[in-house]
Amino acid sequence: MKRLCLALLCLILLFRPDMLVAQGMSGFTTSKTPAGPVIEFTEGDYTIADGVRPADTGWQRAANPHIVRIRETDWKTGSFHVMVGRFRFDRSALGAEPLALYTVSTRNQFTVIVNGREVGRNFARPTDQVLAWYRPYLIPLPAGSLVQGTNQVEIRVTSQDSVGVGRLMIGPNSAIRDNYNWQYFWQITAPLAANFAMLIMGGLALLFWLGRRQEVELAWLSLSTVLWFLRNYQYFAEITPFELAIFNALTVYATYFASVVTAAFYFHFIKLPRTNLIITWLCVIGVALSAAHGLYSASNLVFYIPTTILIFGVASLALRDFLQHRNIEHGAISMGMLVAPGFSVYDVTLANGHSGWDGNGFYFSVFGGFLYSAAFLISFGKRALDAFSGLAAANINLEHRIAETRAELAASEAARQELVVVQALAKERERLMQEMHDGIGSNLITALAVARKQNQHASTIKTLNRALADLKITVDSLEPVEGDLVALIGNLRHRMQGDLRDAGVLCRWEAEICGRLEWLDAANALHVLRIFQEAIGNVLVHSGASEMRIGCREQIHGGVLGIAAYVADNGHGFDTAMELPGKGLANIRARAKTLHGVLTSTSETATGTVITLWLPYQRQI
């Protein structure tokens, strides 16, 4: 009997050595968790075949994960290959809690069979083109499918691209689920959320561009988010929307063109010269590469190499811009561009390690588009805040200008009203002057002529002459002098020239150039004329002078600039300490006070008398 068994074993080893390999226990490592031990398979038994029917021969022991990448074979995307992996474990070593299986990077359609019984799969129909290379899976193992002692797990994998069994763990359901949740978040949920957020930011950029067509970088940013979404769709999609070969080709093309459009966005943002020419040539190169890839089945490297060069070129410009502009607006975008090469290097290292990526990490480049879109959002937010601040300042300035304009309008209206009043007064003054000249003046002249013809008493003729002179002075005060004190006094001198000549008094004119007294209206002009009329009359009547000087000059009095007008004679003078008869000096002092001026008089018996009227340029109201 022993000899018969030995003979059968020799026949098995001779004709089916793979059956002996398949019966051995699989290699694994054990991790302790609060829920119980978890095993992770480090090796298993594998067989691979063309088509969709799994082979039952050719078993070989190999390390796990065990992935055959299409780029390492002569396979074509779209051709089916099937791999079967078998793993044996002892149920009693995993505790009493319900068990679950965790796998990631198992490509692509797979079915899990425990002890000959199917317990789970990742597809509903055989025609489903599943993208499982990046997706983690949790498959509970029903208690009825397990037996005490040794159990066998078989994973049958079918793919039209790379094929293989990825990382594989079995343990208590709660412990496996915690690991699954963690991996699923970083490999599926986070990339999905980041890319949809990126699309939303791209939509906002498009809306902003529609309102601000001159900011072309907004349009490029919007387009880049769409292309990056298409490129990153492979990370979180479970079923391809169309044939896998077309999907893979579009993913590769999108990688290059998304990088080109991102460069266009950044070049416009930093105002790089000849940006449009550069982007045009990059697009022409992309079209040529697409034709070479599609028509001549060129390697994906024809895209990846120029894409890498472009990414590093943009990063170098970002570094230069960051060093030149130390502000949030440029700094955020520059940092977003600078991380892209780091992400690329990390992902290439992760995907091409000595044993390949087995699901123990996640790719960074899937977050690249979101990061630089968020960086632009920060930059745009800073720009918007500056614009809002500028708008607030402009509103404040506008309010000030409106207030100033209203004040100017009010002042203009007041000035207009004042002009209307002035014009009305001027017309009334002209009418009064005309009436006094044609009425009173004519009557006085007629009366004077009659008195002279009738040889009236000299005092009568003198009185009529004085009345006529007073009338002329009054009329002169009504003339618009526009603040010219020199012209006003000069006109008075001219009016009294006859009286001075009759009295034998020589009059000298000593006026200097002086400014205008803006406050000198008709009423104030009459006060000035009366003061000088009184002063000149005193010279003619009381001084006994042979010469008189009339003049004016600028003079500072009490720290205030004004005009000093004077009447000086060479008469015998008088004692200023004595009170003179009459009210002449008292009257002119009162008039000077009304004018806000200062009247001074000096007199010496040897040199004569000087009467000075000082008037300020600006009067305190």
Side-chain angles (χ1 to χ4, degrees):
M1 186 66 180
K2 290 182 178 180
R3 290 181 179 180
L4 179 60
C5 291
L6 183 60
L8 290 174
L9 180 59
C10 290
L11 288 174
I12 291 174
L13 291 174
L14 179 63
F15 296 105
R16 299 290 300 276
D18 54 299
M19 291 184 62
L20 182 62
V21 173
Q23 297 303 314
M25 295 293 291
S26 303
F28 59 85
T29 60
T30 304
S31 300
K32 293 183 178 180
T33 68
V38 173
I39 62 172
E40 180 172 354
F41 292 101
T42 58
E43 61 179 12
D45 302 317
Y46 300 92
T47 182
I48 188 169
D50 297 334
V52 295
R53 294 179 60 84
D56 55 2
T57 61
W59 294 95
Q60 294 182 358
R61 179 63 57 93
N64 188 73
H66 184 62
I67 299 172
V68 179
R69 292 175 173 81
I70 193 170
R71 67 174 181 268
E72 300 168 351
T73 68
D74 58 355
W75 300 345
K76 302 295 182 182
T77 300
S79 297
F80 283 97
H81 295 86
V82 60
M83 175 185 289
V84 180
R86 287 178 179 173
F87 306 88
R88 295 170 62 84
F89 67 97
D90 189 347
R91 172 68 180 85
S92 60
L94 297 179
E97 185 175 330
L99 301 182
L101 178 145
Y102 169 83
T103 185
V104 65
S105 194
T106 295
R107 314 177 185 191
N108 278 314
Q109 286 186 351
F110 67 84
T111 303
V112 178
I113 300 171
V114 177
N115 297 324
R117 175 183 174 184
E118 181 181 330
V119 297
R121 61 171 60 189
N122 69 340
F123 62 94
R125 298 182 303 272
T127 56
D128 291 341
Q129 299 186 88
V130 181
L131 289 177
W133 69 276
Y134 192 62
R135 178 175 292 270
Y137 289 92
L138 174 69
I139 300 174
L141 301 181
S145 65
L146 299 172
V147 297
Q148 294 299 322
T150 302
N151 289 262
Q152 178 176 280
V153 174
E154 181 177 294
I155 299 184
R156 296 178 182 175
V157 184
T158 303
S159 178
Q160 293 175 274
D161 198 77
S162 299
V163 65
V165 178
R167 188 182 181 193
L168 192 63
M169 300 168 60
I170 295 178
N173 189 298
S174 57
I176 294 297
R177 185 173 294 277
D178 289 342
N179 179 73
Y180 166 79
N181 290 337
W182 172 260
Q183 295 291 336
Y184 192 89
F185 174 80
W186 286 110
Q187 293 175 221
I188 304 299
T189 305
L192 184 63
N195 280 268
F196 272 109
M198 178 184 66
L199 272 183
I200 293 173
M201 288 186 283
L204 292 175
L206 179 62
L207 292 177
F208 289 138
W209 175 71
L210 292 175
R212 300 178 61 85
R213 295 294 181 89
Q214 69 276 14
E215 297 189 23
V216 184
E217 63 268 23
L218 293 172
W220 287 110
L221 174 66
S222 178
L223 179 58
S224 72
T225 59
V226 175
L227 292 177
W228 280 119
F229 186 87
L230 294 176
R231 185 263 180 186
N232 294 334
Y233 186 68
Q234 60 173 325
Y235 288 96
F236 44 80
E238 188 170 10
I239 305 294
T240 61
F242 31 77
E243 290 185 10
L244 186 62
I246 298 176
F247 180 82
N248 288 347
L250 291 179
T251 300
V252 174
Y253 299 164
T255 302
Y256 175 81
F257 285 103
S259 300
V260 171
V261 173
T262 301
F265 153 73
Y266 189 65
F267 292 168
H268 279 286
F269 178 79
I270 64 176
K271 304 297 187 290
L272 185 70
R274 300 183 179 179
T275 291
N276 291 334
L277 180 62
I278 295 172
I279 298 305
T280 299
W281 275 109
L282 288 174
C283 290
V284 170
I285 293 172
V287 172
L289 294 177
S290 301
H293 186 272
L295 297 177
Y296 303 104
S297 300
S299 170
N300 292 343
L301 291 176
V302 299
F303 280 102
Y304 293 152
I305 291 176
T307 299
T308 303
I309 294 173
L310 178 60
I311 289 174
F312 276 89
V314 173
S316 64
L317 290 175
L319 180 60
R320 187 193 69 174
D321 189 65
F322 176 75
L323 295 176
Q324 289 179 348
H325 302 89
R326 300 295 183 88
N327 54 46
I328 294 178
E329 184 174 352
H330 284 261
I333 298 295
S334 297
M335 293 304 297
M337 295 300 168
L338 283 171
V339 300
F343 284 0
S344 298
V345 171
Y346 172 82
D347 288 354
V348 169
T349 303
L350 192 66
N352 294 281
H354 66 280
S355 60
W357 184 73
D358 59 6
N360 290 314
F362 57 91
Y363 289 111
F364 282 168
S365 59
V366 68
F367 300 101
F370 167 77
L371 287 180
Y372 94 80
S373 300
F376 177 77
L377 187 63
I378 294 173
S379 173
F380 191 82
K382 176 61 168 56
R383 190 189 307 177
L385 288 176
D386 292 342
F388 291 150
S389 300
L391 181 61
N395 286 335
I396 294 174
N397 186 39
L398 181 61
E399 290 177 359
H400 286 319
R401 289 190 177 185
I402 291 174
E404 291 175 356
T405 303
R406 286 177 177 173
E408 290 174 357
L409 289 174
S412 177
E413 178 62 20
R416 190 187 69 81
Q417 293 292 342
E418 184 178 356
L419 180 61
V420 170
V421 173
V422 169
Q423 289 176 344
L425 289 175
K427 289 182 179 179
E428 184 64 18
R429 185 166 55 244
E430 184 178 356
R431 187 185 67 80
L432 290 175
M433 288 170 58
Q434 187 69 31
E435 289 296 328
M436 285 189 291
H437 180 274
D438 296 342
I440 300 175
S442 296
N443 290 334
L444 284 175
I445 291 174
T446 301
L448 181 61
V450 171
R452 285 174 177 173
K453 188 174 182 180
Q454 294 179 355
N455 295 320
Q456 294 291 331
H457 194 273
S459 60
T460 302
I461 295 175
K462 185 176 182 180
T463 299
L464 290 173
N465 277 326
R466 183 168 294 177
L468 186 59
D470 283 346
L471 178 61
K472 291 179 179 179
I473 290 174
T474 303
V475 172
D476 287 344
S477 71
L478 294 176
E479 288 286 350
V481 295
E482 298 181 351
D484 192 347
L485 181 64
V486 177
L488 183 68
I489 298 174
N491 195 36
L492 175 64
R493 167 178 167 268
H494 175 72
R495 290 291 189 188
M496 300 192 71
Q497 189 68 36
D499 293 340
L500 293 173
R501 186 174 54 252
D502 293 341
V505 177
L506 177 64
C507 182
R508 298 184 183 276
W509 183 246
E510 299 179 349
E512 298 180 4
I513 298 176
C514 299
R516 296 182 180 275
L517 301 176
E518 300 297 336
W519 50 265
L520 188 62
D521 55 11
N524 290 320
L526 183 60
H527 285 306
V528 172
L529 290 175
R530 291 304 186 194
I531 290 173
F532 274 81
Q533 183 184 19
E534 180 67 25
I536 294 172
N538 287 337
V539 172
L540 296 178
V541 176
H542 302 294
S543 69
S546 61
E547 182 178 307
M548 180 178 63
R549 293 177 291 115
I550 300 176
C552 58
R553 62 182 179 274
E554 287 189 344
Q555 179 178 306
I556 296 177
H557 179 80
V560 179
L561 181 63
I563 301 176
Y566 58 88
V567 175
D569 64 68
N570 62 351
H572 49 67
F574 64 93
D575 185 358
T576 56
M578 296 178 60
E579 184 175 352
L580 297 178
K583 298 182 179 180
L585 285 177
N587 287 340
I588 61 176
R589 285 194 177 95
R591 290 183 184 274
K593 186 177 181 181
T594 302
L595 294 170
H596 295 243
V598 178
L599 184 74
T600 59
S601 61
T602 59
S603 183
E604 295 182 3
T605 56
T607 59
T609 302
V610 179
I611 302 296
T612 303
L613 174 64
W614 177 87
L615 298 174
Y617 277 121
Q618 300 292 332
R619 296 199 314 183
Q620 299 294 329
I621 304 301

